Amino acid sequence: MFENRMILLEGAEAARATASGMAAVNAALLSQVKAGDHVVAPKALFGSCLYIIENILPRFGVDITLINGTDLDQWQNAVTDRTSCVFFETPSNPTLDLVDIAAVSDIAHKVGAKVIVDNVFATPLLQKPLELGADIVVYSATKHIDGQGRCLGGIVLGSEEFVEDTLAPFLKHTGPALSPFNAWNLLKGLETLELRVARQCDTAEEIADFLGDHPAIKRVMYPGRDDHSQASLARQQMARGSTLISFELNGDQEKTFQSLNRLQLIDISNNLGDAKSLITHPMTTTHSSVDDATKAELGITEGLLRLSIGLEDVADLKDDLGFALSSQVA
Ligand SMILES: Cc1ncc(COP(=O)(O)O)c(C=O)c1O
């Protein structure tokens, strides 16, 4: 039932649910690549997605090319007739960079490569990768789809042919199955997904502007703001700016932690898409496995924070952030 409802929501032909989002990402890739293939992906990915591409695929003879996913010339130059898949997140974790789904799908399809989009940050409500040309969409259902931090889950959606002939045998024989109980939890989550995402986007828009005006903040990254470096692409492929905001404090790690520890309403946690607002320090958590040079290149600095907006009252969130950040203002 969870798979069927996700098929309707996404507009896909078929789907298989998995035990976690990482199981979905892993299966979407490993079910179809073989030694001698080539995979292209941006460096701006969740640390575990990057780990699969950078560390696991090459061990099995798959060549990889990591690029700046915001630059279409780099996509064009990276693909070859051996490229079997391209993989990307948009918006990406944690700096909310966007990848042009339609343009990259055109580039990939010209060499016969499949396009896999990790649509977690956008949710099925704000962005429709299949309509824009992608072949496969993956979700960590642990995030907005569950929405209340109750369970792990994931799902891969695509064509009947890919799901039945390639994905399903891989999942059946390797075993990352979603438990029936968690499928029930995720179905409960789907019942309120639209309401939660709409409310969280309303709040995120207000909080992004609040942070944008705050003297302790060096920069705010929110696809719904006009100062996002890809604001026009955001308007083109996303219905709204998402429920996540990233921002950079002027201070170093110690000062950033000082502010985090003053928060009373917003929890420090790596999860996102939850009913509770959650804040993460990517450098020391979600991206701790990424090497220092790549972190610097991706803008994952000591002062970078990723905020997932929950369902609390917007005024309470402003008060909480305002108090936490007041320690940074002279
Ligand atoms: C973009 C992205 N993809 C996949 C995952 C993995 O999801 P899960 O925690 O359900 O394995 C995450 C988790 O943070 C994520 O942010």
Side-chain angles (χ1 to χ4, degrees), residues 252-270:
D252 58 9
Q253 181 169 310
E254 197 187 324
K255 288 203 134 200
T256 305
F257 280 14
Q258 258 170 26
S259 283
L260 283 177
N261 290 333
R262 285 162 66 92
L263 290 165
Q264 291 173 10
L265 182 61
I266 300 171
D267 270 349
I268 299 172
S269 165
N270 296 351

Side-chain angles (χ1 to χ4, degrees), residues 2-301:
F2 173 61
E3 287 166 350
N4 288 340
R5 292 205 184 152
M6 284 299 297
I7 285 169
L8 291 172
L9 192 53
E10 195 67 37
E13 286 176 12
R16 283 292 185 282
T18 55
S20 67
M22 284 322 303
V25 170
N26 191 49
L29 283 161
L30 283 178
S31 65
Q32 54 179 325
V33 295
K34 58 181 186 318
D37 281 359
H38 175 235
V39 170
V40 182
K43 283 185 196 163
L45 295 177
F46 172 48
S48 298
C49 296
L50 188 60
Y51 184 86
I52 291 177
I53 291 177
E54 207 175 15
N55 297 80
I56 297 181
L57 294 185
R59 294 213 312 257
F60 296 93
V62 176
D63 289 332
I64 58 144
T65 305
L66 293 172
I67 57 167
N68 173 351
T70 66
D71 181 348
L72 290 176
D73 288 339
Q74 292 198 25
W75 284 103
Q76 188 65 63
N77 293 334
V79 296
T80 73
D81 53 11
R82 280 196 306 117
T83 309
S84 58
C85 297
V86 307
F87 175 89
F88 57 87
E89 297 165 10
T90 180
S92 68
N93 187 353
T95 46
L96 308 185
D97 292 329
L98 307 187
V99 175
D100 186 331
I101 301 174
V104 172
S105 298
D106 275 353
I107 292 169
H109 290 157
K110 287 206 176 92
V111 296
K114 288 244 169 42
V115 178
I116 310 172
V117 179
D118 182 333
N119 206 34
V120 165
F121 274 45
T123 81
L125 298 168
L126 303 182
Q127 182 168 266
K128 299 279 184 203
L130 298 178
E131 285 174 14
L132 294 163
D135 302 290
I136 297 158
V137 182
V138 296
Y139 289 100
S140 163
T142 316
K143 310 294 182 324
H144 304 80
I145 292 173
D146 171 46
Q148 296 185 57
R150 297 169 295 193
C151 66
L152 296 172
I155 191 158
V156 185
L157 302 112
S159 69
E160 186 94 38
E161 189 190 6
F162 165 71
V163 171
E164 297 304 336
D165 298 348
T166 305
L167 180 71
F170 179 88
L171 290 174
K172 179 176 164 187
H173 296 295
T174 58
L178 181 68
S179 76
F181 182 72
N182 285 350
W184 176 80
N185 268 330
L186 298 176
L187 278 165
K188 291 278 117 195
L190 281 183
E191 288 170 6
T192 56
L193 181 67
E194 186 184 4
L195 296 172
R196 285 184 283 111
V197 170
R199 161 74 183 258
Q200 289 168 346
C201 287
D202 290 345
T203 306
E205 284 163 11
E206 250 191 77
I207 296 289
D209 289 342
F210 170 79
L211 292 170
D213 292 339
H214 199 284
I217 307 283
K218 202 196 263 179
R219 63 179 179 134
V220 172
M221 287 145 269
Y222 183 65
R225 267 171 68 93
D226 288 341
D227 64 356
H228 187 277
S229 57
Q230 296 162 291
S232 69
L233 179 58
R235 281 191 287 272
Q236 202 177 298
Q237 68 184 23
M238 296 179 72
R240 300 191 67 178
S242 99
T243 69
L244 288 124
I245 306 162
S246 289
F247 58 100
E248 195 175 355
L249 300 188
N250 286 316
D252 58 9
Q253 181 169 310
E254 197 187 324
K255 288 203 134 200
T256 305
F257 280 14
Q258 258 170 26
S259 283
L260 283 177
N261 290 333
R262 285 162 66 92
L263 290 165
Q264 291 173 10
L265 182 61
I266 300 171
D267 270 349
I268 299 172
S269 165
N270 296 351
N271 197 20
L272 60 94
D274 197 89
K276 278 196 67 61
S277 292
L278 304 173
I279 198 158
T280 305
H281 186 248
M283 179 179 255
T284 52
T285 60
T286 53
H287 289 70
S288 57
S289 63
V290 176
D291 65 73
D292 289 348
T294 308
K295 275 190 206 131
E297 195 182 324
L298 297 176
I300 301 172
T301 59

